[in-house]
Amino acid sequence: MSNGKEPVPVPQRWMGASVVIRNEAGAVLLLKPHETSGWRLPGGLLRADEMPHAGLMREVRAATGLLCETVHLLAVDYVRAGGGAPEGVEFVYDGGVVEAGVPMLIEEAAFSGRAWVQLSRLKGMMRPLYERRLRCAVDALGKGTVYLVQGLDVATSSR
């Protein structure tokens, strides 16, 4: 509470959006950022007052050149603060299937590579949180939106 003299501190939070894009064989598109170890889904942080799906389309186009039409919200993941990072929320969308031969680029300033990866080969490629989030999002395909905490489905995991 403020005593009228000191401003109330504004909580530090982030919001991000990512997308599950699959190829015709069912593999998922992953990007390899320069600044971190491991791979991740296309997407990124949202700007102030930016709607999640609009920010996602902006980020995906910049990173891959793909015009991503967000079909369905697969998951919302609440991430607790920790390790010096603030709490945040990640929206995960279904980006559909990309047909063979569709041209893609890579934003070389931010990413060193891209790969189509089958879920069976995913182990150890991503941070554990990202991998859990991806697997839950893929499980939600064709179903409904799942609510996650730290990449775990709150409806099926013990709290």
Side-chain angles (χ1 to χ4, degrees):
M1 284 202 105
S2 174
N3 61 10
K5 296 178 185 177
E6 296 177 25
V8 176
V10 177
Q12 294 294 317
R13 295 185 177 129
W14 57 267
M15 285 189 359
S18 55
V19 64
V20 177
I21 300 172
R22 300 170 316 281
N23 66 13
E24 294 169 325
V28 175
L29 178 63
L30 298 179
L31 301 176
K32 176 74 173 92
H34 286 299
E35 77 279 356
T36 62
S37 63
W39 295 73
R40 69 173 180 84
L41 289 171
L45 293 176
L46 303 176
R47 295 175 178 162
D49 295 322
E50 185 174 41
M51 294 179 291
H53 66 281
L56 175 68
M57 289 186 282
R58 173 184 53 76
E59 287 283 344
V60 170
R61 184 163 188 188
T64 68
L66 294 173
L67 297 175
C68 181
E69 295 182 20
T70 56
V71 178
H72 176 73
L73 180 63
L74 296 173
V76 177
D77 190 7
Y78 171 74
V79 180
R80 293 181 184 105
E87 69 179 334
V89 175
E90 182 83 8
F91 298 89
V92 185
Y93 291 90
D94 177 6
V97 176
V98 173
E99 296 177 7
V102 171
M104 278 195 290
L105 57 83
I106 187 160
E107 185 183 9
E108 293 179 2
F111 302 101
S112 61
R114 73 167 181 259
W116 293 101
V117 179
Q118 293 288 343
L119 290 184
S120 61
R121 298 184 172 266
L122 192 61
K123 192 73 173 165
M125 289 186 69
M126 306 174 86
R127 292 181 183 175
L129 168 64
Y130 296 170
E131 183 178 340
R132 290 190 306 266
R133 180 185 295 150
L134 171 56
R135 289 184 185 280
C136 285
V138 169
D139 286 347
L141 285 165
K143 300 175 186 171
T145 303
V146 294
Y147 176 57
L148 311 174
V149 173
Q150 299 294 113
L152 298 171
D153 185 342
V154 298
T156 60
S157 63
S158 61
R159 295 180 184 102

